[in-house]
Amino acid sequence: MRCVSLISLSLLLSSALHADALASAWHPSPMHAPSFHRSIHATVHGTVPTSFQRSRATAQRTVHQPGTLSRLGKSPSHFQSGRHGCELHMMASKASASASDSKTSDETARRLLRECAKEERSIPLLNELVAALETSSKVQAEKPKRALLGDWKLAFASDADAAAVFTTGQGGGVFSVVECALLRLQKSNVAKVIEVSRRFGPFGNEKRSLSGKWGVVDGTFRLRYTSMLNVQREEEAPPQHAAVSYVGSISHVSPRCLVLRLVQNDEKQSLSDVKTSGSFVVFCRLPKGVDPELSELQVETEDK
């Protein structure tokens, strides 16, 4: 029996030495040998080694971070924030460029109104300034109709046809001259043109007005007159030249300036004709309404 015990002990020692040899072969570095023995011990005693727990936790994290992001050790949120950062930078750049364009347009509009106010105007300069506004302005904004709402004063008309759209045709003549033409673009699509003319001699100024509807459809300005009030403030049909509908392009609109190109809305005219037309009108905004202008001209006011 003692011999058998000795033989068994010898076999056990041999197995242990063999196991150590295998451990050295698999893990040449001495630092890995203890973890191997702990693994064997844990396997024998039915516990999960710490190193295996860490490995499984790492694997689980890898499952939740698939693809390249996991291999790079960066979460999707890291790349999302980077992408959003680029988008924000691009948005800021666009906003800065838009602000710069807006500043340039405002300065051009001021120059245009100053030139219109002169007694002797430079027609080539006016054409140049209008062309510059049409190039730089982004008129088709989110709500162009809202930008047009308000009271405006005609500052310049490039020719008689352009001026005729915003006058009655009865204020000017041999012994009278049109002092001003005011345009009111109001809510509910109500449009009104107020014309004040001055007669030569000891006579008072005369006031006439055209009323109708206006709107902006797909970026196109539309205007149609339906009635007129004569000097005696009696309602009548609009004159023949105004009894038509007009369509046009909004060349520029800003808090202080409005530039329009309009033509009669008939089959012979198209929007491309409007945009290339040489006729245009320039308005300046009246922030205090039309009444101060009418009071100065000594005619009946509108907003009583």
Side-chain angles (χ1 to χ4, degrees), residues 94-140:
K94 290 180 179 178
S96 177
S98 177
S100 178
D101 291 343
S102 177
K103 185 177 180 180
T104 302
S105 296
D106 289 344
E107 177 58 30
T108 304
R110 283 193 289 268
R111 290 182 60 196
L112 176 63
L113 292 178
R114 286 197 299 267
E115 189 65 26
C116 289
K118 294 179 180 179
E119 289 291 336
E120 296 184 3
R121 309 176 183 94
S122 171
I123 302 303
L125 178 58
L126 290 174
N127 290 329
E128 179 184 338
L129 293 173
V130 169
L133 285 175
E134 290 176 326
T135 302
S136 62
S137 298
K138 296 181 179 179
V139 176
Q140 275 66 28

Side-chain angles (χ1 to χ4, degrees), residues 195-298:
E195 173 192 274
V196 178
S197 60
R198 177 174 56 83
R199 293 187 296 170
F200 293 105
F203 307 104
N205 291 337
E206 297 178 336
K207 175 185 174 185
R208 300 175 179 86
S209 61
L210 293 167
S211 297
K213 294 290 185 178
W214 74 286
V216 178
V217 181
D218 297 330
T220 302
F221 181 82
R222 297 181 180 274
L223 177 66
R224 181 178 180 84
Y225 299 117
T226 56
S227 64
M228 184 184 84
L229 288 179
N230 58 26
V231 176
Q232 289 75 31
R233 312 312 293 162
E234 298 171 344
E235 185 173 347
E236 59 184 55
Q240 185 176 359
H241 82 276
V244 296
S245 58
Y246 294 93
V247 295
S249 62
I250 308 168
S251 298
H252 171 79
V253 60
S254 63
R256 68 179 67 204
C257 182
L258 170 63
V259 181
L260 296 173
R261 293 185 184 271
L262 296 177
V263 295
Q264 292 185 11
N265 185 19
D266 56 30
E267 296 179 355
K268 297 179 181 179
Q269 297 283 359
S270 64
L271 287 181
S272 59
D273 296 330
V274 176
K275 294 180 180 179
T276 57
S277 170
S279 299
F280 62 86
V281 287
V282 180
F283 289 89
C284 62
R285 187 183 291 275
L286 299 174
K288 296 182 180 180
V290 298
D291 281 355
E293 296 287 330
L294 298 176
S295 295
E296 184 177 351
L297 293 170
Q298 298 181 353

